[in-house]
C-alpha cells in the first residue's frame, strides 16, 4: 500500500462545469503523476510533478491543469469539462529510493461528463 | 518517442491452460520493463519487472524475460486460474528521477472454469 487516496472516487458532472480531482499521499514522495485510462488507449499521462510547485505536461494535457502547493496533494483540474474528458483518472507516485521507474497507483476516480 | 505494443484481447482460456501475452517496445535508451495487472473495479498493481537485458521478472506464477535483441517482454504463466482474469498492461520507463511510464493498450484475460 503506497498510501494514495483519490477523491472523489466517482463524479457525474455537466459539460462546461469545473471539476477538481484530488490525489493525497501520506509518505512525502517527491514524484506524482496523473493518468487517464480509456478503452483502446491504455493509460496516458496528463501531467506530472517533481516537487512542490514543480509540474510539467504529459502527452494529453490539453484541457487540464494541475497544482501542487504541498508535497502530499496533487490536484487535477478540468476548467470546463467536456464529454471527451469522461474517463477514469489515476494518480500515481514514485516511491523514494526507487531508481527503476515503477509507479504505484491509486484506486482511480471515475468521471462522467454529460 | 517510446512506445509499447501488446497483443489485443480479449484472450480467452480455460483454467490450467498456458498463457502468453506478447509485448514489444520501442525506446531510445535502455528502459526498465514492467507488467501491471488491473482486476475489475480496481487500480493498477505492479505484477513484475525487469531492469536489464536477460533479466527475468516473476511473481504469482507469472514470468517475463527482458529480450533486448527482440525488444520484447512477453508475459507467461504455465497454468492460469479463474482468479487471473484481469487486464494486463505492459509498460516501460527510461529511468530514474521524474521518468514516466509508457503503457501499452492493455490485454484483457478471461479464464473460464
Amino acid at each position: 500500500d503506497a498510501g494514495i487516496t483519490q477523491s472523489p472516487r466517482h463524479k457525474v458532472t455537466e459539460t462546461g462545469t469545473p471539476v477538481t480531482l484530488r490525489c493525497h499521499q501520506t509518505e512525502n514522495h517527491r514524484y506524482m503523476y496523473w493518468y487517464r485510462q480509456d478503452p483502446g488507449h491504455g493509460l496516458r499521462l496528463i501531467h506530472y510533478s517533481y516537487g512542490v510547485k514543480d509540474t510539467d505536461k504529459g502527452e494529453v494535457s490539453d484541457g487540464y491543469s494541475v497544482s501542487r502547493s504541498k508535497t502530499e496533494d496533487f490536484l487535477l483540474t478540468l476548467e470546463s469539462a467536456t464529454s471527451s474528458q469522461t474517463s477514469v483518472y489515476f494518480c500515481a507516485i514514485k516511491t523514494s529510493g526507487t531508481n527503476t521507474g515503477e509507479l504505484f497507483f491509486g484506486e482511480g476516480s471515475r468521471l462522467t461528463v454529460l | 518517442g517510446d512506445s509499447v505494443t501488446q497483443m489485443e484481447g480479449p484472450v480467452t482460456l480455460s483454467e490450467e491452460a498456458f498463457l502468453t501475452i506478447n509485448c514489444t517496445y520501442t525506446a531510445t535508451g535502455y528502459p526498465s520493463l514492467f507488467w501491471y495487472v488491473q482486476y475489475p473495479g480496481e487500480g493498477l498493481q505492479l505484477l513484475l519487472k525487469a531492469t536489464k537485458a536477460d533479466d527475468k521478472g516473476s511473481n504469482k506464477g507469472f514470468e517475463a524475460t527482458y529480450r533486448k535483441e527482440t525488444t520484447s517482454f512477453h508475459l507467461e504463466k504455465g497454468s492460469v486460474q479463474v482468479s487471473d482474469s484481469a487486464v494486463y498492461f505492459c509498460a516501460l520507463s527510461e529511468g530514474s528521477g521524474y521518468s514516466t511510464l509508457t503503457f501499452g493498450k492493455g490485454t484483457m484475460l478471461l479464464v473460464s472454469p
Side-chain angles (χ1 to χ4, degrees):
Chain A
D1 184 358
I4 306 170
T5 304
Q6 292 186 228
S7 59
R9 294 290 313 280
H10 300 273
K11 186 172 182 65
V12 179
T13 191
E14 294 189 348
T15 298
T17 59
V19 176
T20 295
L21 305 180
R22 179 183 183 231
C23 178
H24 178 77
Q25 57 143 330
T26 59
E27 300 178 0
N28 293 320
H29 298 298
R30 179 179 177 186
Y31 304 108
M32 300 183 74
Y33 306 77
W34 277 108
Y35 284 83
R36 60 177 288 174
Q37 181 181 18
D38 303 289
H41 291 277
L43 278 84
R44 294 177 291 173
L45 181 66
I46 306 171
H47 282 279
Y48 62 97
S49 171
Y50 45 96
V52 173
K53 297 186 180 177
D54 290 323
T55 64
D56 207 347
K57 297 178 180 180
E59 64 174 301
V60 291
S61 59
D62 286 349
Y64 301 94
S65 63
V66 289
S67 65
R68 193 165 178 205
S69 59
K70 46 187 179 178
T71 300
E72 59 264 38
D73 288 327
F74 191 31
L75 304 181
L76 177 70
T77 297
L78 293 67
E79 299 289 350
S80 178
T82 67
S83 58
S84 65
Q85 294 175 311
T86 292
S87 187
V88 181
Y89 292 86
F90 287 98
C91 176
I93 62 171
K94 180 178 293 183
T95 56
S96 303
T98 299
N99 62 0
T100 49
E102 65 261 39
L103 303 184
F104 295 89
F105 287 82
E107 294 297 309
S109 295
R110 181 176 295 276
L111 175 67
T112 302
V113 183
L114 301 176
Chain B
D2 297 345
S3 66
V4 175
T5 303
Q6 57 184 109
M7 60 190 292
E8 293 190 20
V11 173
T12 304
L13 295 173
S14 298
E15 206 164 26
E16 299 184 1
F18 185 86
L19 169 70
T20 300
I21 300 178
N22 292 336
C23 171
T24 57
Y25 67 89
T26 301
T28 54
Y30 300 94
S32 296
L33 301 175
F34 308 89
W35 277 100
Y36 281 82
V37 59
Q38 183 180 34
Y39 298 103
E42 298 184 9
L44 279 76
Q45 302 175 25
L46 179 64
L47 180 59
L48 55 83
K49 69 178 182 182
T51 59
K52 62 183 186 297
D54 300 324
D55 268 2
K56 177 185 283 187
S58 61
N59 186 26
K60 300 182 180 180
F62 291 90
E63 293 182 339
T65 301
Y66 190 141
R67 300 289 188 199
K68 185 168 179 287
E69 64 275 15
T70 55
T71 62
S72 65
F73 192 55
H74 304 321
L75 182 67
E76 297 182 334
K77 187 175 185 183
S79 177
V80 294
Q81 306 299 311
V82 172
S83 58
D84 294 326
S85 297
V87 180
Y88 293 81
F89 292 93
C90 185
L92 69 82
S93 174
E94 287 277 15
S96 59
Y98 58 82
S99 60
T100 62
L101 278 176
T102 300
F103 285 89
K105 294 182 178 181
T107 302
M108 179 178 288
L109 170 64
L110 300 171
V111 181
S112 57

